[in-house]
Structures are given as C-alpha cells and as structure tokens.
C-alpha cells in the first residue's frame, strides 16, 4: 500500500492564483509534513501539522488535516513564479512497537508550475 | 541558518565498487537519516540513526549498506558492492529534538550514478 499519495500529479497556474494540493495516507500518523523540492536540490520543510490539529497557517501556506478521511491539503495563496517546484507530503507514523524515530514516508509529489 | 551538507554532489562509480557518501548534519542534532530518490520516483526512507546506533531501517537497507558516525560530526552511508539499481539521489537529513513533531533538515543530496 502507498502512504502519502498526492493529487494532482501536476498543476499549472498563473501568478497570483491559488494552488491547492491534496494528500491521502493509509495508516495512523503522529504528524503530516509538507516539503518543497526545487529541481536538483534537497527537500525544504514547509509546514508540520500534528494529528490532533485540523488547520495550520504559515505565511501564504494553509494546511488542513482530516484524520477521519486520512487526508490533508496544502493551499498556497497568491502564488508566485518562485513557488514553481515539486511539493511532497510526508507522514510520521508509530512503528509496530508503538514507537517512532521520525521516519518520513513520502508521497509521489505534485509538480507545481506558476507562470509569470 | 545551519545547514546539512553532503559530499560529493555527484559520484560516478563502476558496478561492484564500494562507495561512501558523506554528510555533515546540523551540529546539535540528535537524529540522522538517509533517504534515496530514484529518478522519477518518490523519496524512500533507508535508515535512521540515534545514539550511535541504527534505530530503524527499511527493506532496501540490506547487508550491502552500512552507516557510521565516526567522529561526532560526519555521518556516512557506505554501499559495499554497488549495483545498477543503486543509481539514485541520496539525501541525508537530521533532526534536533527528542520529539517527533519537529521537521527534518535535508541536504542537497548526492547523485550516485552506477555504470
């Protein structure tokens, strides 16, 4: 089974528009995180939402979490050309023993292109 | 802002050769990780390391792989006998506190090409 699946796979918008990306997962989680990856670079952490939180904001980012549906969304408002990147959700879940050392399980990602 | 640094940025190696990928995590961090990303695929967890030992590893992390923190600053991933399918981007990450609700900080990766 796949943990952390995003949709859409690719999203193309104009500067100034909002971009919404969705993520679904299958197991119980401690938290869900969103990362950005510019081409050829590492992953940059954007925002973390804990399993007991429903919504979180950071600047132009808004993340929601629905644990009953095992889904999350990332909204980027007033997008800029510099937001062009791949966006990944990643979950941290307890292991079989109930502990966790923070292993991230990533989705396939959404490629966002923002046209100036 | 402190960064995770990885060297080399690109490594080309003949199949069957040993390769060592190097990482310098953020200095006061306690948890260390290796991930890999095969071209066009998702980022996959390899191993986590805490308190000088492996805390968790994936099925990918077989006997050909090993990790070491030899001197308190470097964190290395060794692949003993590389295979074509080991070609990927390898990312190192570190995390600071004991709690899981903290982000991981990633390096820019090493692109490993096996010929």
């Amino acid at each position: 089974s796949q943990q952390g699946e995003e949709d859409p796979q690719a999203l193309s918008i104009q500067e100034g528009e909002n971009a919404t990306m969705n993520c679904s997962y299958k197991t119980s989680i401690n938290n869900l995180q969103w990362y950005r990856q510019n081409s050829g670079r590492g992953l940059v952490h954007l925002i973390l939402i804990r399993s007991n939180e429903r919504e979180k904001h950071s600047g132009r980012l808004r993340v929601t979490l629905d644990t009953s549906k095992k889904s999350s969304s990332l909204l980027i408002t007033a997008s800029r050309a510099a937001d062009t990147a791949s966006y990944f959700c990643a979950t941290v879940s307890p292991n079989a023993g109930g502990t966790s050392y923070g292993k991230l399980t990533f989705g396939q990602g959404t490629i966002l292109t923002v046209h100036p | 802002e402190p960064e995770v640094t990885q060297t080399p940025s690109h490594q080309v190696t003949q199949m069957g050769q040993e390769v060592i990928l190097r990482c310098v995590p953020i200095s006061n961090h306690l948890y260390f990780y290796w991930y890999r990303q095969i071209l066009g695929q998702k980022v996959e967890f390899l191993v986590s390391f805490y308190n000088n030992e492996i805390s968790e590893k994936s099925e990918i992390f077989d006997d050909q792989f090993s990790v070491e923190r030899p001197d308190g600053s470097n964190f290395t991933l060794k692949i003993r006998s590389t295979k074509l399918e080991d070609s990927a981007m390898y990312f190192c990450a570190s995390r600071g506190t004991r709690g899981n609700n903290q982000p991981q900080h990633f390096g820019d990766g090493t692109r490993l090409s096996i010929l």
Side-chain angles (χ1 to χ4, degrees):
Chain A
S1 64
Q2 301 286 340
Q3 181 86 335
E5 296 297 318
E6 288 98 332
D7 78 88
Q9 291 187 329
L11 182 60
S12 182
I13 59 175
Q14 293 296 125
E15 215 167 25
E17 294 180 340
N18 295 341
T20 299
M21 289 161 266
N22 302 297
C23 168
S24 62
Y25 58 92
K26 294 190 183 297
T27 66
S28 63
I29 60 171
N30 294 329
N31 64 64
L32 185 144
Q33 304 178 35
W34 286 89
Y35 286 81
R36 185 185 75 210
Q37 184 181 34
N38 289 86
S39 180
R41 301 298 301 274
L43 295 130
V44 175
H45 179 262
L46 296 176
I47 196 163
L48 179 153
I49 187 164
R50 304 181 186 202
S51 60
N52 61 353
E53 297 176 313
R54 293 297 166 259
E55 189 170 312
K56 204 159 181 183
H57 297 255
S58 176
R60 293 184 296 115
L61 304 180
R62 173 178 169 254
V63 168
T64 62
L65 178 65
D66 187 335
T67 52
S68 67
K69 295 181 180 178
K70 291 187 168 61
S71 66
S72 173
S73 67
L74 171 68
L75 168 67
I76 304 174
T77 59
S79 63
R80 305 165 181 166
D83 295 329
T84 295
S86 294
Y87 290 81
F88 296 89
C89 71
T91 54
V92 174
S93 299
N95 60 25
T99 59
S100 174
Y101 293 95
K103 173 183 97 173
L104 290 170
T105 302
F106 284 86
Q108 282 285 137
T110 294
I111 301 171
L112 173 65
T113 303
V114 182
H115 300 279
Chain B
E1 185 175 324
E3 291 183 337
V4 175
T5 56
Q6 290 186 243
T7 55
S9 57
H10 191 189
Q11 174 80 46
V12 181
T13 302
Q14 292 288 331
M15 186 173 60
Q17 295 295 305
E18 175 184 287
V19 66
I20 297 176
L21 309 182
R22 303 181 190 278
C23 169
V24 179
I26 295 173
S27 62
N28 61 348
H29 280 189
L30 301 175
Y31 292 84
F32 312 105
Y33 307 86
W34 283 101
Y35 296 85
R36 78 173 187 190
Q37 185 179 32
I38 295 171
L39 187 63
Q41 297 186 23
K42 63 174 67 176
V43 177
E44 301 173 289
F45 168 78
L46 293 178
V47 66
S48 60
F49 192 85
Y50 169 70
N51 201 26
N52 286 320
E53 62 183 17
I54 290 173
S55 48
E56 194 169 1
K57 61 183 180 180
S58 71
E59 292 177 354
I60 303 168
F61 195 88
D62 61 21
D63 292 345
Q64 293 300 311
F65 291 86
S66 62
V67 289
E68 205 174 38
R69 188 159 159 80
D71 56 12
S73 63
N74 291 286
F75 181 50
T76 62
L77 174 69
K78 182 193 291 186
I79 310 175
R80 260 179 279 280
S81 178
T82 50
K83 306 169 191 170
L84 293 175
E85 54 264 38
D86 293 328
S87 294
M89 282 289 289
Y90 287 80
F91 293 105
C92 172
S94 67
R95 177 168 66 89
T97 70
R98 296 184 184 277
N100 282 318
N101 291 315
Q102 294 293 324
Q104 292 180 23
H105 298 260
F106 283 78
D108 277 343
T110 293
R111 180 173 300 282
L112 178 62
S113 300
I114 307 300
L115 305 179

